[in-house]
Amino acid sequence: MAKPVSIEVWNPHGKYRVVSTKPMPGTRWINLLIEQGCRVEKKTILSVEDIIALIGDKCDGVIGQLTEDWGETLFSALSRAGGKAFSNMAVGYNNVDVNAANKYGVAVGNTPGVLTETTAELAASLSVSAARRIVEADEFMRAGLYDGWLPNLFVGNLLKGQTVGVIGAGRIGSAYARMMVEGFKMNLIYYDLYQATRLEKFVTAYAEFLKANGEQPVTWKRAASMDEVLREADVISLHPILDKTTYHLVNKERLAIMKKEAVLVNCSRGPVIDEVALVEHLKQNPMFRVGLDVFEDEPYMKPGLADLKNAIVVPHIASASKWTREGMATLAALNVLGKIKGYPIWSDPNRVEPFLNENIPPPAASPSIVNAKALGLPVSRL
Ligand SMILES: NC(=O)c1ccc[n+]([C@@H]2O[C@H](COP(=O)([O-])OP(=O)(O)OC[C@H]3O[C@@H](n4cnc5c(N)ncnc54)[C@H](O)[C@@H]3O)[C@@H](O)[C@H]2O)c1
Ligand SMILES: O=C(O)[C@H](O)CO
């Protein structure tokens, strides 16, 4: 039996009923829905059972979260309530069974682009923090252990001239690579299923700029295999999607081929790393350091991880800047609204800025629907 849920309601007499399974930042997303005749309801709920209760007998669309298991059970409940629109408030949608959504004709939205730079900035921060042992040094200072400057105190790794490795050079991976190459003058090696042409051009142009200014130019290489990146890079950041091909991409064997003093950063999804193997590797290799934003069994960490000084751990905050989180809420709301109103799908999910400008009304389109093709939804000509 589902628990009774207390719900916040806006525009109670709205024609369409849109529910959000968690409070989302800002008010623009609510206003955009209300202006178009939607009644909006939100509540912090987590279980499938509670979401079914919230959907009830009539629901036109749901804005959900990456912590929820959107599969057959929830899509059939939404479909029974007359709903044909769902959006994750996230770019990753490994929590969604898109085939189940297709079966019920439910459009599945996500929120690309608006979080690219924010997430890349956190990955860059974790890279620097791990390389320079910032968290350890902070704890040492607060514990009153600092007696004065010492030549060996918290000696870490210099980034300049070293090699940064990126696995998954899509939107976020490429933004991170640019930050590390331009900001720290690191050489790049990357692995992706596709060529990152724009990224390669960026590094080439930056190398020419450095050369023209009498500095050592940076270099880039597209690796033929992921293992090549792991062997050669000094700092490695993981940015692929999570699917069957990337589950435990970094496992015991692959950790063993990495440099003993390498830094590994994960701001993608926890299961991309075999966390048990990682804990063991960190124990055996105290100079190997990690910066983790995501975990295999979130919100939990595998035993032992929290005790390790060579691990920095933060609670899935990579996209947590105010502008980005409000923008994610807006994109998620507009995905749902667009389907309800019968709007076409925005033609380029990598170019969502027109939806984020608060000074102009958003385009009459759903910004990003991942199963648009499967459902045969029309594409906007805007
Ligand atoms: N920690 C966070 O808060 C946070 C924030 C945003 C995104 N993410 C995660 O980051 C992921 C990437 O986001 P994005 O916007 O850059 O997506 P994207 O689709 O632009 O990039 C993903 C890249 O991974 C590559 N890829 C897929 N399978 C691969 C494989 N087997 N080996 C190597 N590369 C592979 C793809 O070709 C693509 O270039 C999301 O799916 C999400 O899971 C996490
Ligand atoms: O996939 C995503 O968008 C993140 O994990 C949350 O921002």
Side-chain angles (χ1 to χ4, degrees), residues 3 66 75 97-98 104 112 114 133 156 161 223 227 237 310 336 348 358 372:
K3 303 187 281 291
L66 58 85
F75 284 120
D97 178 348
V98 179
Y104 292 100
V114 64
R133 308 175 63 184
D227 289 2
S237 197
N310 46 348
V336 167
D348 185 359
E358 304 217 6

Side-chain angles (χ1 to χ4, degrees), residues 2 25 42 56 72 74 112 119 132 146 165 179 186 189-190 205 218 221 251 253 260 267 333 335 345:
K42 71 173 169 67
E72 171 73 31
L74 286 179
T119 304
R132 297 302 301 275
Y146 183 48
M179 285 175 197
M186 297 186 82
I189 179 167
Y190 79 91
V218 289
K221 176 160 95 168
N251 55 17
E253 291 71 33
K260 294 280 179 221
C267 288
N335 280 331
I345 311 307

Side-chain angles (χ1 to χ4, degrees), residues 3-29:
K3 303 187 281 291
V5 287
S6 79
I7 301 167
E8 255 181 284
V9 180
W10 288 265
N11 197 26
H13 303 297
K15 179 173 171 196
Y16 310 106
R17 180 171 177 259
V18 174
V19 303
S20 171
T21 62
K22 275 195 174 61
M24 300 193 293
T27 49
R28 185 168 184 243
W29 69 275

Side-chain angles (χ1 to χ4, degrees), residues 66 89-94 111 115 119 267-269 293-294 316 318-320 324-325 328:
L66 58 85
M89 185 197 143
V91 64
Y93 54 92
N94 51 289
T111 63
L115 40 62
T119 304
C267 288
S268 59
R269 285 287 182 267
D293 180 53
V294 286
H316 205 146
S319 68
T324 287
R325 285 284 168 86
M328 289 163 73

Side-chain angles (χ1 to χ4, degrees), residues 49-328:
E49 217 183 22
D50 284 342
I51 297 173
I52 290 173
L54 185 65
I55 288 171
D57 299 334
K58 182 201 183 290
C59 182
D60 297 291
V62 176
I63 301 164
Q65 301 292 334
L66 58 85
T67 47
E68 299 155 2
D69 182 7
W70 278 84
E72 171 73 31
T73 310
L74 286 179
F75 284 120
S76 64
L78 179 57
S79 176
R80 274 195 307 278
K84 289 277 175 262
F86 166 80
S87 183
N88 239 16
M89 185 197 143
V91 64
Y93 54 92
N94 51 289
N95 61 312
V96 180
D97 178 348
V98 179
N99 288 331
N102 291 344
K103 180 174 154 192
Y104 292 100
V106 177
V108 174
N110 72 340
T111 63
V114 64
L115 40 62
T116 298
E117 300 292 328
T118 299
T119 304
E121 282 179 13
L122 200 271
S125 310
L126 288 174
S127 304
V128 182
S129 303
R132 297 302 301 275
R133 308 175 63 184
I134 292 174
V135 174
E136 272 180 87
D138 177 278
E139 283 170 0
F140 175 86
M141 198 71 195
R142 287 169 201 276
L145 297 171
Y146 183 48
D147 288 335
W149 191 87
L150 286 171
N152 285 324
L153 197 58
F154 291 107
V155 171
N157 306 350
L158 172 70
L159 298 180
K160 186 177 181 218
Q162 299 234 309
T163 299
V164 62
V166 173
I167 292 167
R171 284 175 293 250
I172 299 168
S174 290
Y176 166 83
R178 288 197 302 268
M179 285 175 197
M180 301 308 285
V181 168
E182 191 181 3
F184 299 100
K185 299 194 175 75
M186 297 186 82
N187 299 311
L188 171 68
I189 179 167
Y190 79 91
Y191 175 71
D192 197 295
L193 309 178
Y194 303 97
Q195 186 173 9
T197 314
R198 285 178 59 192
L199 175 60
E200 292 175 1
K201 282 187 181 154
F202 174 90
V203 183
T204 303
Y206 186 51
E208 279 162 13
F209 169 83
L210 290 172
K211 206 170 162 195
N213 284 281
E215 289 193 61
Q216 178 71 26
V218 289
T219 62
W220 64 263
K221 176 160 95 168
R222 181 181 177 197
S225 70
M226 190 177 129
D227 289 2
E228 199 179 328
V229 176
L230 297 177
R231 264 192 213 99
E232 291 185 21
D234 302 287
V235 177
I236 292 146
S237 197
L238 306 173
H239 297 284
I241 57 165
L242 172 62
D243 65 7
K244 281 186 203 129
T245 71
T246 60
Y247 176 80
H248 282 193
L249 206 60
V250 177
N251 55 17
K252 186 178 173 205
E253 291 71 33
R254 285 195 161 130
L255 285 162
I257 63 172
M258 292 176 72
K259 294 184 181 176
K260 294 280 179 221
E261 296 191 5
V263 167
L264 175 66
V265 169
N266 189 11
C267 288
S268 59
R269 285 287 182 267
V272 172
I273 299 181
D274 176 347
E275 206 172 297
V276 170
L278 178 67
V279 170
E280 199 43 45
H281 190 77
L282 286 164
K283 282 183 188 163
Q284 301 301 326
N285 298 276
M287 302 304 279
F288 185 92
R289 300 196 185 94
V290 289
L292 303 175
D293 180 53
V294 286
F295 305 88
E296 202 168 344
D297 305 322
E298 245 167 79
Y300 308 107
M301 286 184 277
K302 292 289 188 197
L305 184 59
D307 304 325
L308 291 166
K309 290 233 175 287
N310 46 348
I312 297 176
V313 288
V314 295
H316 205 146
I317 55 166
S319 68
S321 73
K322 184 173 181 292
W323 181 82
T324 287
R325 285 284 168 86
E326 291 187 7
M328 289 163 73

